[in-house]
Amino acid sequence: MARLRPFQGVLYDPQRVNLSRVVAPPYDVISSADQRRYYEQDPHNVVRLIAGVVRASDTPQDNKYTRAAAFFRDWLADGILRREVSPRLYVYRHQFVDPTSGESRSRLGIMGVVELEPFGGAVLPHEQTHARARADRLSLTRAVVANLSPVFALYEDPRSAVGPIITPAMASPPRMAITGEDGDHHTIWSLEGDQRFAQLAEIFSASRLYIADGHHRYETALNFRDYQRQGHPEASPDAAFNYVLMLLVDVRDPGLTILPTHRVLHDLAGFDGRELVRRLSERHRVTAHDSPSALLAAMHRGQGGSHRIGLALPGSPSPVDGGFADMNPSPSGGGQGGGSWYTIDIDQGVAADPVSRLDVSVLHEQILQRELGLTPAELEQERHLSYLRDVDAAFDRVRTGTAQAAFLLRPPAVQDVVEVAQAGLVMPQKSTYFFPKPASGIVFNLLDAAIRIGG
């Protein structure tokens, strides 16, 4: 069962910093340009903790991990960060604009700590992870001894019992009301009271938790727990390192939004885009489009139950006389913007399991592995494949020649995520992008062996 508990969080002091200038997205969506901007934005921005600068002069004694630990320690000592006087939970409302529809949306969750347990029981993953990211996050956690960003998970509440417990807290003035540089609004309320804690604990004890975002952070928390247990065999079962900071959102929350993560091919020896299109056309329905916008419009249209993959290539479209009956190259000959764009419809029939029903699985199996010969190890190491969430950036990589091809995907549904997790399976890495990511810097969770988590 999932054990949700209140904790004594560490928060920025709003009297010492401008909260809107110290929060940031999680580390895995911070680009180099973002990193520089956040560094310049405020000397206490959370980026110094979660995604610090790597220097050529780094040593085992002075590196981004040791510097993060020093920042965290100094900010606590200086009062920039303050620890709560008593355990509590937090209600987190995240208001944002859906980038696909342009509609304003809102997502509501509870932030607390959840007792760690291996995947497969009350906590279920849905996505593969990368060894490199796990090692990076473990080095950071061992240095700072704190959860710096929450794991984002979904919970089941079929009786809608959580709402009546947390709604009264939202009638009080919020602890934080932050407008980010992207226009998102983050509103945080404290949730206190032993009766509320007990009621929520009972509800969550009957629910499974599905990791939406933060698989690496959860696996890191498990590894750090094991590391701490070796160093502190005398520690209580309620020691803080046995728990992990989580944002918990109802699986039926109407604000849950998933965006696709596209694949960009690069540096693959012998790759021939025209030949790939020819081979694909022999087994699948391939349709050419005269512009990127036409391709994107086609991605959103129905296709009779088959899997639809988008493909962008540099240069002119493949010729009609190659026998591709469904291809309609641009009348201009080279396509708008000097590229060529296709949709590939792949009919897999009835899938045996929920992973096989996903477009991303079909892309990996039928195109990346079967047609291009990429091995699972090469996909894991990102040797020839990069991942982009911004479709315009993917098109730009193809247009400028820094990518050999871009494979575009539609997002899976929330129910797909749940069904994959319930089946004990995982999607290919970076198959989902729950949007937006919860902000880092809202609250931190100390993991010292001497700290106890209350019942």
Side-chain angles (χ1 to χ4, degrees):
M1 62 180 182
R3 292 187 65 197
L4 171 68
R5 296 291 183 266
F7 69 110
Q8 287 178 261
V10 172
L11 289 73
Y12 281 105
D13 183 347
Q15 302 301 315
R16 300 290 303 276
V17 298
N18 180 339
L19 294 175
S20 67
R21 301 186 67 81
V22 294
V23 299
Y27 76 101
D28 55 340
V29 293
I30 295 178
S31 66
S32 297
D34 294 333
Q35 182 191 56
R36 289 192 297 272
R37 188 175 69 259
Y38 290 128
Y39 258 77
E40 295 169 357
Q41 195 164 276
D42 191 286
H44 302 105
N45 189 283
V46 70
V47 74
R48 286 174 166 77
L49 305 180
I50 63 174
V53 168
V54 175
R55 301 172 182 167
S57 59
D58 280 352
T59 67
Q61 295 75 36
D62 181 16
N63 52 64
K64 71 174 186 176
Y65 308 117
T66 61
R67 289 190 291 272
F71 284 130
F72 195 67
R73 183 174 59 249
D74 292 346
W75 296 352
L76 277 167
D78 294 343
I80 300 297
L81 296 175
R82 295 185 180 275
R83 190 179 181 207
E84 298 277 36
V85 297
S86 61
R88 63 197 67 197
L89 301 170
Y90 302 89
V91 179
Y92 178 6
R93 185 180 67 198
H94 194 159
Q95 296 167 290
F96 61 97
V97 174
D98 186 322
T100 302
S101 67
E103 298 176 352
S104 295
R105 308 190 72 178
S106 178
R107 188 179 67 205
L108 191 66
I110 300 171
M111 293 183 72
V113 295
V114 173
E115 186 175 19
L116 287 159
E117 60 174 85
F119 285 140
V123 181
L124 300 176
H126 77 268
E127 200 170 71
Q128 296 177 16
T129 58
H130 291 279
R132 183 172 56 192
R134 293 194 301 269
D136 170 63
R137 292 300 96 180
L138 182 58
S139 294
L140 179 61
T141 305
R142 289 176 62 170
V144 181
V145 194
N147 297 140
L148 302 175
S149 303
V151 174
F152 176 12
L154 310 180
Y155 66 87
E156 300 167 311
D157 183 20
R159 295 185 293 111
S160 300
V162 171
I165 299 172
I166 66 174
T167 300
M170 299 171 65
S172 302
R175 287 289 299 278
M176 304 180 198
I178 304 168
T179 300
E181 62 177 4
D182 54 5
D184 286 12
H185 298 287
H186 310 267
T187 311
I188 314 297
W189 291 268
S190 285
L191 188 64
E192 303 176 55
D194 291 343
Q195 183 178 359
R196 285 174 170 170
F197 298 157
Q199 290 172 328
L200 289 171
E202 182 179 358
I203 294 168
F204 280 93
S205 69
S207 174
R208 288 168 292 188
L209 302 181
Y210 306 98
I211 303 294
D213 183 69
H215 290 79
H216 293 101
R217 274 163 270 161
Y218 191 87
E219 291 188 18
T220 292
L222 285 170
N223 292 333
F224 182 75
R225 180 201 65 180
D226 295 342
Y227 166 77
Q228 287 288 75
R229 284 179 174 177
Q230 291 179 2
H232 302 277
E234 78 293 346
S236 162
D238 285 333
F241 61 71
N242 288 307
Y243 293 77
V244 64
L245 178 64
M246 278 195 172
L247 169 67
L248 302 169
V249 176
D250 191 333
V251 72
R252 299 174 301 168
D253 190 302
L256 284 173
T257 304
I258 303 179
L259 302 182
T261 300
H262 309 293
R263 275 63 173 150
V264 174
L265 185 74
H266 57 83
D267 303 313
L268 181 62
F271 175 76
D272 185 330
R274 291 163 65 92
E275 175 62 15
L276 173 64
V277 171
R278 187 194 67 77
R279 293 200 308 270
L280 288 172
S281 71
E282 292 178 346
R283 295 192 298 114
H284 311 294
R285 178 180 174 85
V286 179
T287 304
H289 303 278
D290 62 7
S291 68
S293 59
L295 167 56
L296 294 178
M299 291 288 291
H300 294 291
R301 291 197 294 268
Q303 66 288 341
S306 64
H307 299 274
R308 176 161 289 183
I309 311 297
L311 171 62
L313 296 168
S316 301
S318 299
V320 176
D321 59 13
F324 312 158
D326 293 315
M327 292 187 186
N328 300 297
S330 165
S332 64
Q336 187 183 71
S340 49
W341 306 276
Y342 306 93
T343 47
I344 305 154
D345 290 331
I346 301 175
D347 187 1
Q348 286 285 91
V350 179
D353 60 74
V355 174
S356 299
R357 293 198 291 266
L358 302 171
D359 288 350
V360 65
S361 298
V362 173
L363 167 63
H364 279 229
E365 294 167 7
Q366 295 295 320
I367 300 180
L368 300 181
Q369 296 181 47
R370 178 171 180 171
E371 297 293 348
L372 299 183
L374 295 175
T375 66
E378 288 174 320
L379 296 176
E380 156 72 19
Q381 297 163 7
E382 301 184 30
R383 188 174 302 168
H384 300 295
L385 208 66
S386 298
Y387 301 87
L388 287 176
R389 299 175 178 97
D390 186 336
V391 68
D392 290 330
F395 284 135
D396 190 61
R397 291 279 298 275
V398 171
R399 181 185 59 79
T400 59
T402 56
Q404 294 167 302
F407 298 96
L408 309 183
L409 289 163
R410 301 170 303 175
V414 173
Q415 188 59 33
D416 292 328
V417 173
V418 171
E419 290 177 359
V420 167
Q422 288 176 339
L425 303 172
V426 290
M427 300 178 181
Q429 60 269 25
K430 299 187 180 179
S431 295
T432 58
Y433 178 32
F434 279 84
F435 179 89
K437 303 247 184 177
S440 295
I442 298 293
V443 61
F444 306 106
N445 175 44
L446 299 176
L447 299 174
D448 303 73
I451 295 176
R452 299 289 179 265
I453 300 297

